Amino acid sequence: DSGVTQTPKHLITATGQRVTLRCSPRSGDLSVYWYQQSLDQGLQFLIQYYNGEERAKGNILERFSAQQFPDLHSELNLSSLELGDSALYFCASSAYGKSGNTIYFGEGSWLTVV
Amino acid sequence: GQNIDQPTEMTATEGAIVQINCTYQTSGFNGLFWYQQHAGEAPTFLSYNVLDGLEEKGRFSSFLSRSKGYSYLLLKELQMKDSASYLCAVSSGGYQKVTFGIGTKLQVIP
């Protein structure tokens, strides 16, 4: 158990809908990362937050948004869902988001868009 | 931008040694991670290299050459449970943006 908690574990929804994925980082970790992993694909970096502020942005679609709250948990919002958004979404956290801090991953949220 | 290259698949025999290579191009490099990922599971941390040279940790070792933009993960005494994807990831920037390669799917055969 990495200490990073993600909910829900599985989600099935229809095209055009909106979903919210939630992540609680390890206790004390200030930095949160979101990654998308499609079937047989690598981990695509979406976005990183540090202590409530956005710090780095990857290939995140405009239909997707995220935020980190004062209690450090984070949410990833996916809207106008398309079939191609079906993937495993990982949240990860690290202590300070600085060099050398190990990144720990949650178990992921499986999203299926039908 | 960043570019991380590693072989997509490798096969090795139980008990043998395998080396998985990773080359990268990035600005603001500050370290390189290796993670192991079994299908459908979360990646788990294996190693982190920030300085040139070899870091050994049990059956697993990782090497880094910053000037060449090159790293490898060495797995010794392979076991069947080592069949997994091995992800090379580069850390860059002041707030440690971490970008992953596509991963190398290793199959260990008897």
Side-chain angles (χ1 to χ4, degrees):
Chain A
D1 183 7
S2 67
V4 180
T5 304
Q6 290 187 247
T7 57
K9 286 188 170 38
H10 297 273
L11 188 58
I12 301 175
T13 191
T15 54
Q17 294 299 304
R18 172 191 168 95
V19 299
T20 297
L21 308 181
R22 182 188 167 98
C23 170
S24 294
R26 291 189 324 150
S27 177
D29 281 2
L30 298 176
S31 192
V32 168
Y33 304 77
W34 286 99
Y35 290 88
Q36 178 194 55
Q37 188 172 42
S38 302
L39 193 63
D40 291 332
Q41 297 294 311
L43 284 165
Q44 296 297 315
F45 172 72
L46 296 178
I47 200 163
Q48 178 198 4
Y49 283 85
Y50 176 77
N51 203 20
E53 296 187 17
E54 181 184 307
R55 289 300 179 189
K57 213 165 188 176
N59 299 322
I60 187 167
L61 300 172
E62 286 191 10
R63 301 184 286 108
F64 296 1
S65 65
Q67 59 184 129
Q68 186 180 27
F69 295 87
D71 67 353
L72 301 178
H73 90 272
S74 178
E75 293 181 355
L76 179 66
N77 300 298
L78 315 174
S79 62
S80 302
L81 284 167
E82 301 175 0
L83 295 178
D85 297 328
S86 296
L88 184 53
Y89 290 85
F90 284 108
C91 171
S93 73
S94 69
Y96 298 106
K98 293 191 182 293
S99 175
N101 291 153
T102 300
I103 296 178
Y104 296 91
F105 282 81
E107 294 299 309
S109 292
W110 283 95
L111 173 65
T112 302
V113 182
V114 297
Chain B
Q2 295 180 328
N3 192 30
I4 302 170
D5 289 313
Q6 51 181 133
T8 53
E9 293 183 350
M10 296 182 72
T11 301
T13 305
E14 190 178 14
I17 299 172
V18 69
Q19 177 174 314
I20 302 174
N21 297 322
C22 171
T23 58
Y24 64 89
Q25 289 177 306
T26 189
S27 57
F29 174 86
N30 54 38
L32 188 142
F33 291 94
W34 283 97
Y35 279 80
Q36 180 192 61
Q37 186 181 27
H38 287 96
E41 298 182 7
T44 54
F45 171 79
L46 291 177
S47 67
Y48 179 72
N49 293 69
V50 60
L51 299 175
D52 290 352
L54 187 68
E55 296 273 348
E56 297 187 75
K57 194 184 290 185
R59 294 190 300 115
F60 291 43
S61 302
S62 57
F63 172 84
L64 176 67
S65 169
R66 290 171 296 172
S67 62
K68 295 182 179 177
Y70 168 69
S71 174
Y72 67 73
L73 180 69
L74 195 69
L75 292 78
K76 303 175 188 174
E77 301 168 17
L78 280 172
Q79 302 175 8
M80 298 301 291
K81 67 178 182 179
D82 296 330
S83 292
S85 287
Y86 291 85
L87 312 177
C88 172
V90 170
S91 169
S92 62
Y95 283 92
Q96 190 175 254
K97 176 183 175 182
V98 179
T99 305
F100 284 79
I102 191 79
T104 298
K105 192 171 184 179
L106 173 67
Q107 183 182 15
V108 179
I109 57 175

